[in-house]
Amino acid sequence: MKQTSHTFLDNAHTALQDRDKAARRDFMALFTPLIRNAAMDDFGHFEELRQHVKEVRQHTLDNLDHYLTRFEREALHNGNHVHFATDADQLNSIVLDICQQHSARRIAKGKSMVTEETGLNDYLKRAGLRVMETDLGEYIIQQAGETPSHIVGPALHKSAAEIRELFLAKHDLGERELAETSDMVGEARKVLREHFLKAEVGVIGANALIAENGYSMLVTNEGNGDLCANLPNVLIVCTTIDRVVPRARDATAMLRLLVRSATGQPQTCYTSFYSGPRREQDSDGPLETHFVLLDNRRTEILASDYREMLQCIRCGACLNHCPIYAATGGHAYGWVYPGPMGSILTPLLTSLEQSNALPNACTSCGRCAEVCPADIPLPDLLRDLRHDENRQKLSSSRWRLGMRLHAWLARHPGLYHACTGIGIAALHLLGQRKGSFTQLPMASGWTSERDFPAPQGKTFMHQYAALQRADKAREDKSAAVAKPPRRRARPGSGKASGERQEPGLRADWPLKPDPRRPGKTRPGTAGGKGTGKGKPGAHPGGPRGKKPRSRQSDDR
Amino acid sequence: MTDSSRSRVFANVRQACRGAGEDTIAQELEALGTAPTADLPAADIHTAFLANVLKNQGSVDCVANRSGAVKALADYLYRHFRSHRLVAGNDPHLAAMPWREAGVLPRFGSVEPGEPVALSYALLGVAEIGGIVTLTGKANPAANNLLSEHHIVLVESTRLVRDMEAAWECIERESAKTGRSRGVNFIAGPSSTADIEGKLVYGAHGPRNWHVILMGDVPANALEEAHALAGR
Ligand code: SF4
């Protein structure tokens, strides 16, 4: 797949012009969080389950050598062939080799983001094989010659009318209406059924690999993945090394989070576990089964400070809750994985040079981190990538100069407050008559799209300090009435020790250890989700070093 | 090629891991405890199971014994097809059913094109998910679960378990006796898709209808209560 992440802004601009698609995205952005929230409320133990699964996933990644070895051993014992692929080309050529060994011409393929990542379809097609996507969404975009716009609903960007036209053009089935959605689903079912029955090789992904018994877990609603896994004579499971979980019960715990986060269901229609080829007493099933386990820079991520990203269970909830994704759609991100998870994975799996626009496509609203069932601190990782971008001098020199200036100012709070005070007062004076600015120097990116409201004259800190002073004066007054005057330091005011402190800042500002991310620190906001809203001092001296992480070295 | 790839992948993984011993890893994993499961919609496991099957857009029947099951099957077939034919896996539990009592004509084997109804005997019913479990094999050809228009499942009330973890414990006990089966299928509803504009349609690839017959001792009001809980 040709990557266009570097033109994210242009892609987004183009996407915003299509009003129909934008309206559909707006609808999905309202609808999908509703069904996810209802499912989580119904379940009732979301946070407890999320923390449990997170701990299990962290434990698995910390001991991945052990669990991957165990999975391989069990999978071999179950009669599978197990292959390892270091990169996309290797995975593709392993799959092609297997197909050629069996003189296969037709491949029935279940939904697999990993094979999107490696571009398997094009690779097999170039070798003369006929590859048919069988998940309805994937089938639609394959017929349309497009790429997925969402990791769970790949064709949600297309209207029913577009799909109708597509089917009428692609399926040679004579005159017909296809007026209803169910008619289109029925037609795809008929066309694909034939392909299932003729395919010599089935290719599917896996939602989890179970180390203790060598089973892979496949989660679908359509049942297409199961048809791929059961009908052809050869089955190839393409997945990545980070999908391993220790036990079957870890896979089911993860499943509870996955389905509710992805589609708002309590359970998918088909959750299947496959261990290997047909047994002697079986009447059906593949005669030969293969696992192809892809690395493709995941071991680099494992060794880096972005390890938490490997805990992703590919539910798509962060996409559904992201205002940028809702506005631009998935194609704007220019590669396989869109939304917040894609803005982190794309730079890590390809390169930051090609995709440095993506970590900047973030409002730091923190919704993704709130809903992520894997509890990945997505905004923090995005901020760290922006820091990497800055360090690697990938952003414009003007931007970097501005950042340096801002960082310097932020380290001198007195001067910072003085400068912002002057700036705000000046803007207030200049803008008070009209109430807003239609143009501002160095902020054309803002004012070209919307007016900038004129400030009310005082900065937040000024107003807050004034409130505190008024508060204190009131307290002093009532204390003077109640008993003889005696100055007392207020808790956290720092005055008892004679320290000077900025008004309103907590005593533990800027840093306290973050229990959610051992070895890391985050701003000491009470009970905050650590959304990293660009608060000064969050990472003095820069974000976390690349490697090794302190937690890893502690544990060694 | 993959031998050297394997070595490279494992070398990189090892470098990034902490190299703990097997016992330490096992102890640490055990210390993580168990995951919370979903609350059941009713205290009685049968009612909860039936309610969740209904919520998953399945249909349900409760019968006291095998004669009742065959009669329920005959009614279902007649209602939908004005026929008494179905395909069932080579499961000894199904072979022993009193088919003649209700005039049902089963064919044992895999569904062939044009055969719309398949019957499976479930290893388990899982109340938490409103789903059933089958193991692949002669008794449960995959085609029967996946290619029929109507998939009917017979579940014995004594085979209900609370949650998926309990189901896996049973599956592991089965595996210890007969070896790991090729496939373990949790089924919880008819095949469905929402890939076109998010609209839910049943019968995407597999069955459009999913019918569960719960057989055995079930509280008298379980079915009624389950319908009330599911709102359908
Ligand atoms: S990052 Fe979290 S929310 Fe996003 S897809 Fe992965 S698990 Fe789901």
Side-chain angles (χ1 to χ4, degrees):
Chain A
M1 177 177 172
K2 189 171 169 284
Q3 188 176 357
T4 59
S5 310
H6 58 288
T7 56
F8 173 80
L9 286 177
D10 295 336
N11 306 346
H13 187 77
T14 311
L16 286 165
Q17 306 305 309
D18 189 333
R19 299 282 162 202
D20 276 357
K21 284 196 168 33
R24 243 189 330 280
R25 286 197 296 271
D26 283 347
F27 171 75
M28 292 310 286
L30 287 173
F31 176 67
T32 47
L34 284 181
I35 55 170
R36 177 259 170 209
N37 293 345
M40 286 304 178
D41 289 348
D42 206 34
F43 177 66
H45 317 284
F46 171 61
E47 194 52 41
E48 199 188 328
L49 179 59
R50 160 155 101 157
Q51 291 312 317
H52 175 81
V53 172
K54 179 187 181 176
E55 283 171 5
V56 171
R57 295 281 285 149
Q58 276 179 344
H59 165 88
T60 315
L61 291 173
D62 288 348
N63 302 292
L64 190 60
D65 50 346
H66 168 76
Y67 288 117
L68 197 57
T69 309
R70 176 87 195 268
F71 174 77
E72 184 193 27
R73 191 168 69 222
E74 296 297 330
L76 289 170
H77 171 81
N78 293 341
N80 298 283
H81 301 258
V82 182
H83 313 258
F84 286 85
T86 52
D87 57 28
D89 278 348
Q90 260 191 22
L91 180 139
N92 294 343
S93 75
I94 291 167
V95 174
L96 178 61
D97 274 356
I98 299 167
C99 294
Q100 287 175 338
Q101 277 163 26
H102 293 272
S103 311
R105 311 296 306 163
R106 278 172 297 240
I107 318 295
K109 203 162 153 282
K111 188 167 174 305
S112 150
M113 293 310 290
V114 172
T115 56
E116 293 282 351
E117 184 183 320
T118 65
L120 178 67
N121 286 10
D122 285 345
Y123 190 91
L124 296 180
K125 227 167 100 186
R126 281 198 297 274
L129 273 68
R130 184 157 177 236
V131 185
M132 192 73 97
E133 291 287 354
T134 60
D135 169 83
L136 179 60
E138 289 282 350
Y139 174 70
I140 291 166
I141 57 166
Q142 186 188 33
Q143 295 306 305
E146 295 176 10
T147 52
S149 59
H150 190 287
I151 59 170
V152 175
L156 287 176
H157 59 282
K158 296 195 86 68
S159 69
E162 286 174 311
I163 296 167
R164 178 179 177 274
E165 288 307 315
L166 181 72
F167 280 12
L168 290 175
K170 294 279 176 176
H171 300 155
D172 190 11
L173 294 169
E175 280 285 305
R176 60 212 189 277
E177 272 290 316
L178 289 186
E180 302 295 326
T181 307
S182 54
D183 299 337
M184 292 181 253
V185 173
E187 182 160 309
R189 173 188 171 108
K190 197 163 121 188
V191 171
L192 287 168
R193 178 69 62 98
E194 215 171 292
H195 194 77
F196 278 124
L197 296 171
K198 287 185 182 155
E200 295 101 351
V201 174
V203 175
I204 57 170
N207 295 88
L209 303 172
I210 303 173
E212 70 175 355
N213 58 22
Y215 277 89
S216 63
M217 178 172 81
L218 179 70
V219 178
T220 72
N221 275 315
E222 297 183 10
N224 64 307
D226 294 289
L227 287 166
C228 295
N230 283 287
L231 300 186
N233 276 339
V234 180
L235 171 65
I236 308 174
V237 183
C238 295
T239 189
T240 53
I241 53 169
D242 52 325
R243 293 297 103 196
V244 181
V245 294
R247 304 160 298 191
R249 69 171 126 128
D250 301 319
T252 51
M254 199 175 91
L255 178 69
R256 282 189 190 100
L257 284 175
L258 174 64
V259 285
R260 287 174 175 87
S261 302
T263 59
Q265 292 168 284
Q267 179 77 8
T268 35
C269 303
Y270 301 99
T271 306
S272 304
F273 298 84
Y274 292 109
S275 70
R278 183 189 297 201
R279 309 285 185 248
E280 230 170 67
Q281 68 278 13
D282 290 357
S283 56
D284 58 7
L287 299 167
E288 193 176 300
T289 53
H290 298 257
F291 280 102
V292 189
L293 305 179
L294 176 70
D295 179 346
N296 209 23
R297 304 188 73 174
R298 281 166 179 81
T299 48
E300 279 176 41
I301 302 176
L302 187 71
S304 81
D305 217 17
Y306 294 99
R307 174 186 279 203
E308 278 148 313
M309 202 53 223
L310 296 180
Q311 286 164 219
C312 172
I313 59 173
R314 306 287 191 270
C315 70
C318 58
L319 280 62
N320 299 339
H321 287 75
C322 174
I324 305 288
Y325 177 86
T328 66
H331 290 144
Y333 290 79
W335 201 53
V336 181
Y337 304 105
M341 55 86 81
S343 297
I344 297 165
L345 275 179
T346 306
L348 298 179
L349 296 178
T350 61
S351 78
L352 191 55
E353 285 87 345
Q354 279 170 285
S355 54
N356 61 326
L358 301 188
N360 289 289
C362 171
T363 64
S364 294
C365 70
R367 281 183 94 198
C368 53
E370 239 167 66
V371 298
C372 173
D375 202 18
I376 301 170
L378 296 153
D380 291 1
L381 298 184
L382 285 164
R383 187 195 52 220
D384 290 355
L385 281 167
R386 292 197 292 274
H387 187 83
D388 286 351
E389 178 202 25
N390 203 49
R391 259 199 326 218
Q392 292 174 32
K393 299 192 170 57
L394 298 173
S395 45
S396 74
S397 51
R398 208 177 104 190
W399 178 260
R400 290 200 312 277
L401 182 68
M403 292 293 280
R404 272 209 302 279
L405 195 65
H406 186 267
W408 183 82
L409 259 184
R411 283 199 296 271
H412 297 83
L415 192 58
Y416 186 92
H417 294 312
C419 289
T420 48
I422 294 167
I424 294 293
L427 286 174
H428 170 65
L429 279 176
L430 289 169
Q432 63 181 341
R433 204 161 55 83
K434 282 172 70 183
S436 62
F437 295 91
T438 51
Q439 270 186 329
L440 275 177
M442 294 191 294
S444 58
W446 174 288
T447 51
S448 64
E449 299 298 324
R450 49 209 167 314
D451 292 350
F452 185 86
Q456 298 304 302
K458 292 259 187 279
T459 64
F460 169 80
M461 294 307 282
H462 277 137
Q463 294 180 47
Y464 191 64
L467 269 177
Q468 279 215 319
R469 275 197 303 274
D471 219 20
K472 183 154 192 323
R474 248 196 320 276
E475 263 181 38
D476 287 350
K477 211 168 145 191
S478 47
V481 173
K483 50 182 166 170
R486 182 165 162 250
R487 296 286 307 261
R488 263 180 72 218
R490 294 168 59 206
S493 69
K495 290 193 176 161
S497 58
E499 277 171 35
R500 190 185 168 281
Q501 194 178 4
E502 292 304 313
L505 293 187
R506 286 169 50 118
D508 57 356
W509 178 271
L511 296 173
K512 69 172 186 180
D514 178 1
R516 288 155 41 105
R517 307 184 68 197
K520 297 185 178 66
T521 49
R522 66 176 60 223
T525 45
K529 281 270 180 207
T531 52
K533 294 186 182 181
K535 286 178 179 147
H539 283 296
R544 308 155 295 159
K546 281 289 93 165
K547 60 178 153 174
R549 289 179 15 148
S550 50
R551 175 161 59 113
Q552 289 159 26
S553 40
D554 288 345
D555 288 346
R556 239 175 255 273
Chain B
M1 172 174 67
T2 57
D3 261 4
S4 68
S5 304
R6 183 190 177 281
S7 313
R8 267 169 59 197
V9 171
F10 269 103
N12 289 342
V13 171
R14 267 185 212 113
Q15 230 172 20
C17 290
R18 60 200 191 112
E22 235 172 80
D23 291 346
T24 314
I25 294 172
Q27 276 165 17
E28 284 176 2
L29 179 62
E30 207 47 45
L32 296 180
T34 53
T37 60
D39 297 334
L40 298 188
D44 169 56
I45 194 168
H46 310 91
T47 313
F49 172 70
L50 293 167
N52 281 342
V53 169
L54 286 166
K55 283 186 194 170
N56 291 336
Q57 302 306 312
S59 50
V60 289
D61 252 330
C62 281
V63 297
N65 50 34
R66 292 191 300 178
S67 298
V70 175
K71 179 155 184 326
L73 278 166
D75 288 349
Y76 185 94
L77 293 172
Y78 190 75
R79 202 163 60 241
H80 286 92
F81 300 100
R82 299 279 182 271
S83 127
H84 282 103
R85 291 182 186 283
L86 56 72
V87 180
N90 276 306
D91 189 299
H93 299 91
L94 296 181
M97 300 282 281
W99 297 108
R100 286 206 193 135
E101 284 181 20
V104 177
L105 302 169
R107 185 180 72 73
F108 293 97
S110 287
V111 158
E112 298 290 340
E115 291 182 309
V117 189
L119 173 68
S120 302
Y121 177 84
L123 173 72
L124 300 164
V126 187
E128 181 196 11
I129 59 168
I132 61 95
V133 181
T134 60
L135 303 180
T136 55
K138 265 202 176 61
N140 273 300
N144 291 9
N145 297 350
L146 297 167
L147 293 181
S148 58
E149 294 263 323
H150 290 242
H151 184 215
I152 308 178
V153 188
L154 188 61
V155 189
E156 295 210 39
S157 62
T158 52
R159 303 296 298 169
L160 288 191
V161 293
R162 192 198 175 281
D163 49 49
M164 292 187 281
E165 285 76 357
W168 265 102
E169 279 171 25
C170 290
I171 294 161
E172 272 151 19
R173 278 199 298 277
E174 281 298 308
S175 301
K177 280 191 277 176
T178 58
R180 277 177 200 153
S181 79
R182 178 179 71 79
V184 176
N185 304 113
F186 285 69
I187 302 174
S191 157
S192 67
T193 181
D195 274 341
I196 300 181
E197 287 191 346
K199 288 185 190 130
L200 192 60
V201 176
Y202 294 103
H205 289 287
R208 291 177 217 271
N209 298 280
W210 183 61
H211 186 66
V212 173
I213 301 175
L214 184 59
M215 180 172 82
D217 282 341
V218 175
N221 60 346
L223 193 57
E224 200 184 322
E225 215 182 297
H227 278 288
L229 285 167
R232 61 183 285 260

